[in-house]
């Protein structure tokens, strides 16, 4: 573990290191890097706390932007109670009000989640959950209070606004299953929130391919 910063304050009795100004924490063996301007390292507990804006780069796969981040080195998880954005190297984007990420298992948990597939690319879908557990390694998820906005061109009509709403959902990179769901492709109308037609069922399956 290498810590670079402009200012260091070491509390010898408590075995606590405080680093300030352009702080970079890097572990090349575990392949992660944390950047912040104010970091406290509790050596006895192997815990790191950042104050303010914090960026983390995990396994050259995930870029995390958050603030007031906690990093437990021994248990190998990182979390924050603040709004967080995560990007991966497969053009997936995640926005969460708070998050907990288990680094070894690549399990992401959070609340008020937005997932954007094919971020800034064609055929991009949006997933909304009040809470969810996401297996980033296996590309599987389970979520509550689900809303999915499917890319507009799925039925070769850019006037469509295809969307799914349900009590909960589970799925992977190939398919999504909505429980107690409603589907419509009708264009969203501000004055009349009720679409001209919709399909509802105890279970709706969306074959993403």
């Amino acid at each position: 573990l290498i810590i670079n910063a402009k200012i260091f304050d070491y509390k010898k009795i408590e075995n606590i290191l405080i680093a300030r100004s352009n702080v970079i924490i890097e572990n090349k063996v575990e392949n992660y890097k944390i950047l912040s301007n104010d970091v406290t390292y509790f050596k006895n507990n192997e815990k790191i706390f950042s104050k303010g804006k914090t960026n983390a780069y995990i396994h050259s796969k995930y870029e995390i932007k958050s603030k007031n981040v906690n990093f437990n080195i021994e248990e190998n998880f990182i979390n924050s109670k603040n709004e967080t954005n995560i990007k991966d190297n497969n053009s997936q984007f995640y926005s969460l009000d708070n998050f907990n990420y288990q680094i070894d298992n690549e399990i992401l948990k959070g609340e008020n989640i937005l997932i954007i597939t094919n971020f800034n690319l064609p055929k991009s879908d949006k997933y909304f959950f009040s809470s969810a557990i996401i297996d980033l390694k296996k590309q599987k998820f389970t979520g509550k209070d689900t809303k999915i906005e499917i890319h507009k061109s799925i039925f070769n009509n850019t006037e469509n606004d295809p969307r799914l709403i349900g009590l909960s959902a589970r799925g992977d990179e190939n398919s999504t299953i909505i429980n107690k769901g409603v589907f419509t492709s009708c264009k969203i109308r501000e004055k009349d929130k009720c679409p001209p037609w919709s399909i509802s069922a105890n279970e709706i399956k969306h074959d993403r391919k």
Side-chain angles (χ1 to χ4, degrees), residues 16-187:
I16 296 173
L17 179 68
I18 300 171
R20 298 187 182 93
S21 187
N22 294 333
V23 182
I24 301 174
I25 300 172
E26 187 172 13
N27 188 322
K28 292 184 178 181
V29 175
E30 298 294 333
N31 191 13
Y32 65 77
K33 184 187 291 186
I34 299 171
L35 288 74
S36 184
N37 272 318
D38 193 329
V39 169
T40 302
Y41 176 29
F42 296 86
K43 183 69 177 80
N44 292 340
N45 298 323
E46 289 298 330
K47 294 180 179 180
I48 294 172
F49 297 96
S50 73
K51 291 182 181 179
K53 292 182 179 179
T54 304
N55 291 356
Y57 302 88
I58 311 294
H59 294 162
S60 301
K61 292 173 65 177
Y62 306 108
E63 177 186 356
I64 301 172
K65 291 185 177 182
S66 187
K67 62 181 181 180
N68 303 334
V69 169
N70 306 320
F71 180 31
N72 189 313
I73 297 174
E74 286 190 347
E75 298 183 20
N76 213 20
F77 70 80
I78 184 171
N79 62 26
S80 173
K81 295 181 180 179
N82 294 274
E83 185 176 342
T84 301
N85 292 333
I86 301 174
K87 294 180 184 177
D88 69 14
N89 54 11
N90 289 318
S91 299
Q92 301 278 91
F93 175 86
Y94 307 84
S95 176
L96 314 93
D97 276 2
N98 55 67
F99 85 100
N100 184 298
Y101 177 59
Q102 300 173 14
I103 295 174
D104 288 339
N105 298 324
E106 297 186 36
I107 300 294
L108 177 65
K109 301 178 183 179
E111 296 180 333
N112 295 326
I113 300 169
L114 163 64
I115 303 173
I116 304 177
T117 67
N118 297 322
F119 186 60
N120 287 333
L121 295 171
K123 298 183 179 181
S124 176
D125 300 332
K126 294 181 179 180
Y127 290 69
F128 301 86
F129 305 104
S130 63
S131 64
I133 300 173
I134 306 164
D135 187 329
L136 298 178
K137 184 185 293 184
K138 298 179 180 179
Q139 287 295 301
K140 293 184 176 182
F141 67 87
T142 57
K144 295 181 179 179
D145 304 317
T146 304
K147 180 182 178 181
I148 303 173
E149 296 178 358
I150 306 170
H151 57 278
K152 293 170 71 68
S153 62
I154 190 170
F155 299 120
N156 297 317
N157 184 352
T158 56
E159 295 298 317
N160 283 333
D161 288 310
R163 55 202 182 274
L164 276 161
I165 299 173
L167 188 64
S168 62
R170 66 188 187 276
D172 54 29
E173 60 184 340
N174 297 317
S175 64
T176 301
I177 297 174
I178 306 290
N179 297 313
K180 295 184 178 179
V182 178
F183 169 79
T184 183
S185 64
C186 295
K187 184 178 178 63

